[in-house]
Amino acid sequence: MACEKTYLGICFVTSSSGLESSIFGFAEFISALALLVIVYTLTDIRYRFRVAVTPIPLFKLTYILIGLVGFGTLLTDVWFSERWLMPDFFPNQVIWQGMFGALFLLLVMAWMYYAFIKPPIFCKKNYRKFAQELYRIIVKGSDTELPVIADELARSAEPLVRLSRQNPPRWQNDTDKKEKEKRRKPNVGDYAYDILLLIGNRKLCRHIVASSSVTARVFFEAMATNEKYDLPIGQFARNISTEAIINKDSILYHEDEGYSSGLVGYLKPFSKAVYGNYRLVESLASNSGSPLDIHHEIVWSWDASQLEAYSRAVLITLKSYLESGNWTQHSFALYRALKNIENSCSDVYKLNDIPSDYYSTDIFKRLRTAVRFVKDAIDLIGKQQNLPSTTLRVRGDRKYENFYDRIANLMLEIIFSAASVTVPSDKCWTIHYNTVWDEFFGLSSTGKAWKIIHFKLRRLLYDKILRLEKFPNYKSSKILGFCLNVMGLKITARKGDDREYYPIHKAVLAWTRNNYLRMKSIQPEVANSCLLGSISFDEQGNRLVQTYAKGLNLEAPKVYMELASANK
């Protein structure tokens, strides 16, 4: 084709006329662009989040390429329709349309690659965009978007944990170093640190528990794998645990036991990831809070099934505590967990106002759950191949107390809570003896660990009663009344399950015989508060009376305790 004009050494010729069937003209571009916009508008938040956090500036490239392809196809259609001059090496409209079509196809494939083929995760190339987009979605708080993002977060759990900087040591007080930290430019570790704080959002945690429990599991597994425990994930741990207990349809309730839950009940993937690493739980407890650190107001609102779920979680941590050989170490997480279980029984006194069917109330069920936790914890200790050692009697400084002592103290508090039920005698017997005492000292409470606990509990009970000599108080008097009601006013044969509480029975009767009248003369109201259930005071004979159920007898059987004079 002969040159019609030469410019800068380039030969220009008249372009051919427009194509009868366009390959990728302006009309096709507009249709494809409209379809792309509709797809993006209707697409799920998951894929919009993925393209928003790509390592490359995808949105800017998209804007530039769309403008280039759009103006190029429009100009090409006009140019070849008007048959303007073209360089002789690009005289064909097909080549130009093919080029612009390829660019548009490349753009679509880039979106598909980041949205479906290899979605981006948190890394050094996109940490700013990842943090900003996640912050925007969490602050927005959409109930339709958060479940999706909760699931999407699981893919970035490992890099977030691995790249995050750790909490500075509490003892570190280098002012100059802190000032330098403030002045330096934030890096990927700082952004990962902030994201771990961000995911502690209560609403996000609620959706994680409800629809994507695997996200919580992979975060805890990542911390254990990387052995990074000093991370700002305490709020996340507490809120995940709180929501898992509150939501009775959460995975925590489907991991109760293999008999009813199948394989998941045996493996317990969620429970073991969140509660099964003692080192992780304890590190969080000593920093910003562990999964066992539940707010006291929430603990007070629990019903029996929620308390049972929490108890199972505590037992999983206790098992890891025992197996990891940390017996001599004071556990802040487990100590506070025992306090939560103790506080769950603080309203047992309300059973006094329930005349009948009290055993079906949630208060009574929570008391039984706390007692069952104690038994399971002691049995767990007893199953250890090498039973943890202890000093049986701890005098003076309580800092040498170990977990045996903590369990014994919990049992003492449960006994005190049960002792707040004072009437009638049959209700007292059911709660005092059947629900509490027989579970603590019955035939099922045997083994070396139980012997240690029994010794410590007997010591605690007697020490509380001895306080009445120097400082008459209602807690000690309730415990004395409880002991008299469940063990009776008469020493029985030292055999069977009575053998375990024979020493405390003998000591309590001796103390009561020698001190009750003196206490009654000094503090009559405190002395009267010792009279629980079937125990009463005979004013004429100055003696205690225990009245048993009448049954088929013509008169209710009674047992008397003669009391020493108050002047002795």
Side-chain angles (χ1 to χ4, degrees):
M1 188 180 292
C3 291
E4 296 185 16
K5 192 173 183 180
T6 302
Y7 183 71
L8 297 178
I10 300 175
C11 179
F12 285 85
V13 297
T14 302
S15 60
S16 60
S17 59
L19 298 174
E20 293 182 1
S21 58
S22 176
I23 296 177
F24 190 76
F26 186 71
E28 290 78 11
F29 166 75
I30 292 297
S31 300
L33 180 61
L35 181 61
L36 188 64
V37 171
I38 292 173
V39 170
Y40 178 76
T41 303
L42 299 179
T43 195
D44 189 72
I45 181 63
R46 182 192 307 276
Y47 308 108
R48 281 187 279 156
F49 176 78
R50 289 175 177 178
V51 298
V53 300
T54 54
I56 63 173
L58 188 59
F59 285 115
K60 290 183 180 179
L61 289 175
T62 300
Y63 178 76
I64 293 171
L65 286 177
I66 285 178
L68 178 63
V69 172
F71 283 112
T73 53
L74 177 61
L75 185 59
T76 300
D77 287 351
V78 174
W79 201 290
F80 281 92
S81 295
E82 296 296 326
R83 303 191 66 186
W84 293 341
L85 294 177
M86 291 286 293
D88 61 351
F89 48 84
F90 275 137
N92 197 329
Q93 186 178 5
V94 174
I95 297 177
W96 287 95
Q97 288 189 348
M99 252 187 347
F100 290 124
L103 281 175
F104 192 84
L105 180 60
L106 181 65
L107 176 64
V108 173
M109 291 185 68
W111 277 65
M112 293 179 64
Y113 177 79
Y114 285 114
F116 301 102
I117 307 302
K118 192 176 180 181
I121 60 175
F122 181 87
C123 64
K124 294 181 180 179
K125 296 180 180 179
N126 71 341
Y127 60 90
R128 286 190 180 88
K129 290 197 292 184
F130 194 99
Q132 291 168 358
E133 185 67 14
L134 183 62
Y135 175 80
R136 182 190 67 81
I137 293 174
I138 291 178
V139 170
K140 182 180 178 182
S142 171
D143 287 327
T144 57
E145 294 181 356
L146 285 179
V148 180
I149 296 303
D151 181 64
E152 185 68 13
L153 268 174
R155 300 176 57 256
S156 296
E158 198 281 334
L160 279 168
V161 170
R162 175 168 44 82
L163 296 173
S164 173
R165 66 177 174 86
Q166 301 192 63
N167 288 319
R170 290 188 174 185
W171 47 263
Q172 183 177 324
N173 194 22
D174 191 340
T175 307
D176 294 335
K177 189 172 183 179
K178 289 181 179 180
E179 290 298 325
K180 291 179 182 178
E181 289 289 324
K182 290 180 181 180
R183 289 196 297 268
R184 79 173 168 80
K185 189 176 181 181
N187 56 26
V188 61
D190 299 316
Y191 276 87
Y193 183 95
D194 289 342
I195 289 175
L196 293 179
L197 278 174
L198 179 63
I199 62 175
N201 178 271
R202 182 75 179 273
K203 191 172 185 179
L204 175 64
C205 291
R206 184 180 306 125
H207 285 289
I208 289 176
V209 168
S211 59
S212 182
S213 61
V214 68
T215 301
R217 179 170 60 84
V218 295
F219 268 102
F220 284 93
E221 289 176 348
M223 292 178 70
T225 302
N226 291 274
E227 295 187 352
K228 292 183 70 172
Y229 305 119
D230 294 331
L231 296 177
I233 206 168
Q235 293 88 344
F236 177 77
R238 291 200 312 270
N239 288 335
I240 285 292
S241 184
T242 299
E243 295 300 330
I245 294 171
I246 291 176
N247 183 357
K248 294 184 180 181
D249 195 35
S250 70
I251 185 66
L252 186 61
Y253 288 85
H254 297 289
E255 294 181 350
D256 50 352
E257 57 180 346
Y259 181 78
S260 58
S261 300
L263 183 62
V264 174
Y266 289 113
L267 298 179
K268 295 180 170 54
F270 176 83
S271 301
K272 289 183 177 179
V274 178
Y275 307 103
N277 187 325
Y278 169 73
R279 186 179 173 189
L280 169 59
V281 173
E282 187 62 22
S283 296
L284 292 175
S286 58
N287 286 291
S288 51
S290 79
L292 299 179
D293 291 324
I294 312 297
H295 195 275
H296 63 274
E297 292 183 356
I298 296 175
V299 173
W300 292 341
S301 67
W302 282 346
D303 59 21
S305 61
Q306 291 168 328
L307 177 62
E308 185 178 358
Y310 180 74
S311 300
R312 289 199 307 271
V314 177
L315 289 172
I316 291 173
T317 304
L318 175 60
K319 183 178 180 181
S320 176
Y321 171 74
L322 295 170
E323 293 176 348
S324 57
N326 290 283
W327 181 260
T328 57
Q329 175 187 340
H330 172 74
S331 174
F332 293 96
L334 289 173
Y335 176 75
R336 294 199 288 260
L338 294 186
K339 294 297 292 184
N340 285 336
I341 295 174
E342 173 191 321
N343 292 335
S344 66
C345 301
S346 59
D347 59 346
V348 174
Y349 69 92
K350 294 179 180 178
L351 293 177
N352 285 312
D353 300 326
I354 302 176
S356 62
D357 200 26
Y358 59 88
Y359 40 83
S360 64
T361 63
D362 188 68
I363 300 174
F364 182 77
K365 291 178 181 178
R366 276 188 279 114
L367 176 63
R368 296 190 62 179
T369 300
V371 171
R372 186 162 54 248
F373 165 79
V374 169
K375 295 190 65 177
D376 291 341
I378 299 174
D379 289 340
L380 187 60
I381 297 173
K383 290 178 182 177
Q384 300 304 303
Q385 186 173 3
N386 297 317
L387 192 68
S389 60
T390 185
T391 302
L392 283 180
R393 186 172 299 180
V394 179
R395 291 187 175 94
D397 198 344
R398 297 171 63 89
K399 69 180 180 180
Y400 296 108
E401 290 185 347
N402 54 33
F403 206 76
Y404 287 123
D405 300 288
R406 303 298 182 194
I407 290 288
N409 275 294
L410 174 59
M411 296 168 77
L412 176 70
E413 295 302 325
I414 291 175
I415 287 174
F416 173 66
S417 296
S420 63
V421 179
T422 58
V423 290
S425 59
D426 57 342
K427 182 192 295 185
C428 285
W429 184 254
T430 299
I431 294 173
H432 293 183
Y433 185 83
N434 296 339
T435 307
V436 178
W437 190 260
D438 189 50
E439 295 294 328
F440 288 167
F441 285 94
L443 294 176
S444 61
S445 305
T446 58
K448 293 182 179 180
W450 275 102
K451 285 185 176 296
I452 295 173
I453 294 292
H454 283 154
F455 180 91
K456 291 182 174 293
L457 179 58
R458 291 195 303 263
R459 187 72 252 177
L460 288 173
L461 289 170
Y462 192 61
D463 286 345
K464 284 293 181 183
I465 294 172
L466 285 181
R467 289 197 66 198
L468 289 169
E469 295 181 10
K470 297 181 179 179
F471 178 65
N473 62 92
Y474 287 104
K475 182 172 185 178
S476 296
S477 66
K478 292 288 186 184
I479 290 175
L480 173 60
F482 179 95
C483 291
L484 293 174
N485 187 41
V486 296
M487 294 187 291
L489 301 181
K490 182 180 179 181
I491 293 286
T492 56
R494 189 172 183 176
K495 61 181 180 179
D497 56 343
D498 295 349
R499 182 186 300 273
E500 294 301 329
Y501 62 80
Y502 177 83
I504 183 66
H505 191 188
K506 185 176 180 180
V508 167
L509 292 184
W511 187 93
T512 305
R513 186 179 296 110
N514 295 325
N515 294 277
Y516 185 81
L517 289 180
R518 183 180 62 83
M519 181 173 61
K520 188 171 179 63
S521 64
I522 298 173
Q523 287 286 351
E525 292 184 359
V526 174
N528 289 336
S529 67
C530 298
L531 308 177
L532 306 181
S534 61
I535 306 294
S536 59
F537 181 71
D538 180 7
E539 294 284 352
Q540 294 181 347
N542 275 346
R543 58 185 179 176
L544 293 180
V545 183
Q546 185 169 26
T547 306
Y548 291 94
K550 182 179 179 182
L552 298 177
N553 299 305
L554 296 177
E555 186 176 346
K558 295 182 179 181
V559 174
Y560 298 93
M561 174 190 281
E562 301 296 334
L563 303 174
S565 173
N567 297 325
K568 290 185 179 181

